[in-house]
Amino acid sequence: KQEVTQIPAALSVPEGENLVLNCSFTDSAIYNLQWFRQDPGKGLTSLLLIQSSQREQTSGRLNASLDKSSGRSTLYIAASQPGDSATYLCAVSGGGADGLTFGKGTHLIIQP
Amino acid sequence: DTAVSQTPKYLVTQMGNDKSIKCEQNLGHDTMYWYKQDSKKFLKIMFSYNNKELIINETVPNRFSPKSPDKAHLNLHINSLELGDSAVYFCASSRGSGGSSYEQYFGPGTRLTVT
């Protein structure tokens, strides 16, 4: 059974810092990995999708890497801003599961 | 031009009632999903469905049933509501079949409160 773990569960940093969010998964037979953002009381916004054959994806200040063999992904946020404050969710497709298997998220606060 | 929409946004009802949540996608996707986000904010797949196959997560009670009138809609019917059904329910869609390599797009969620 696929399990996804995100570390840390919560993170608070001053504005302007670069930061890394971590995600690990137990079954490496995945199709892809998605990073989402969820604001309080809102839905999920897809940030980046990495296919299993890819090593990384970039969008603006965000960079996500994937090491499928070791079951790890990182989301790098450069020059953090208060507007980046949200919960970041990692999810994988495949690995013996139907639909996406989610981690419990990292609650990120960027202090102005 | 909303990609995945859900109605209602909020639903408050009493135990024992039967309710439905509607989902529509205008992306032309083949597969739709329902997810449940519990009080601890943990998201879990409930169903994946395309016109060929319904895949049900084994932990979902049979009081929950998805119904698809057409490819663009997947409604969630819940019978005999219980307090533990209180959660936020998200609809999603993607190209291809369940467990595929395509990106999933999520609706805004429906917050269900059972009293």
Side-chain angles (χ1 to χ4, degrees), chain A residues 31-32 34 36 38 42-44 46 49 51 89 93 98-100 102-104, chain B residues 9 33 35 37 42-43 45 48 55 90 99-104 106-108:
Chain A
Y31 295 110
N32 62 46
Q34 274 185 263
F36 293 89
Q38 186 174 28
K42 303 291 185 182
L44 278 68
S46 180
L49 169 73
Q51 300 291 355
L89 295 163
S93 173
D98 295 295
L100 291 172
F102 281 85
K104 293 187 177 181
Chain B
K9 188 172 176 61
Y33 311 83
Y35 290 84
Q37 188 171 41
F42 188 44
L43 268 157
I45 181 75
S48 67
I55 300 175
F90 287 98
S100 70
S101 61
Y102 295 103
E103 187 173 7
Q104 289 193 23
F106 281 73

Side-chain angles (χ1 to χ4, degrees), chain A residues 46-95:
Chain A
S46 180
L47 297 173
L48 290 163
L49 169 73
I50 310 178
Q51 300 291 355
S52 61
S53 58
Q54 297 175 322
R55 298 283 293 184
E56 66 176 340
Q57 283 287 332
T58 298
S59 176
R61 294 182 294 107
L62 304 179
N63 176 278
S65 68
L66 174 63
D67 184 343
K68 187 178 144 181
S69 60
S70 67
R72 296 178 187 275
S73 175
T74 61
L75 179 67
Y76 176 82
I77 303 176
S80 58
Q81 302 171 357
D84 295 331
S85 298
T87 296
Y88 289 80
L89 295 163
C90 170
V92 297
S93 173

Side-chain angles (χ1 to χ4, degrees), chain B residues 83-103:
Chain B
L83 292 176
D85 298 333
S86 296
V88 181
Y89 292 86
F90 287 98
C91 177
S93 71
S94 72
R95 295 168 57 193
S97 58
S100 70
S101 61
Y102 295 103
E103 187 173 7

Side-chain angles (χ1 to χ4, degrees), chain B residues 12-76:
Chain B
V12 181
T13 187
Q14 293 183 329
M15 286 175 56
N17 285 348
D18 302 336
K19 290 293 178 184
S20 295
I21 305 172
K22 295 184 177 181
C23 178
E24 177 181 3
Q25 55 95 3
N26 62 6
L27 299 167
H29 286 170
D30 299 306
T31 303
M32 298 182 72
Y33 311 83
W34 279 104
Y35 290 84
K36 178 181 180 180
Q37 188 171 41
D38 62 24
S39 58
K40 296 183 179 179
K41 308 298 184 186
F42 188 44
L43 268 157
K44 287 189 69 175
I45 181 75
M46 299 178 69
F47 305 99
S48 67
Y49 180 81
N50 62 28
N51 58 5
K52 299 176 184 175
E53 190 176 21
L54 169 66
I55 300 175
I56 304 172
N57 184 309
E58 60 189 11
T59 66
V60 175
N62 58 14
R63 297 181 295 103
F64 290 77
S65 59
K67 296 194 191 310
S68 180
D70 56 57
K71 187 177 167 182
H73 297 83
L74 183 66
N75 303 325
L76 181 65

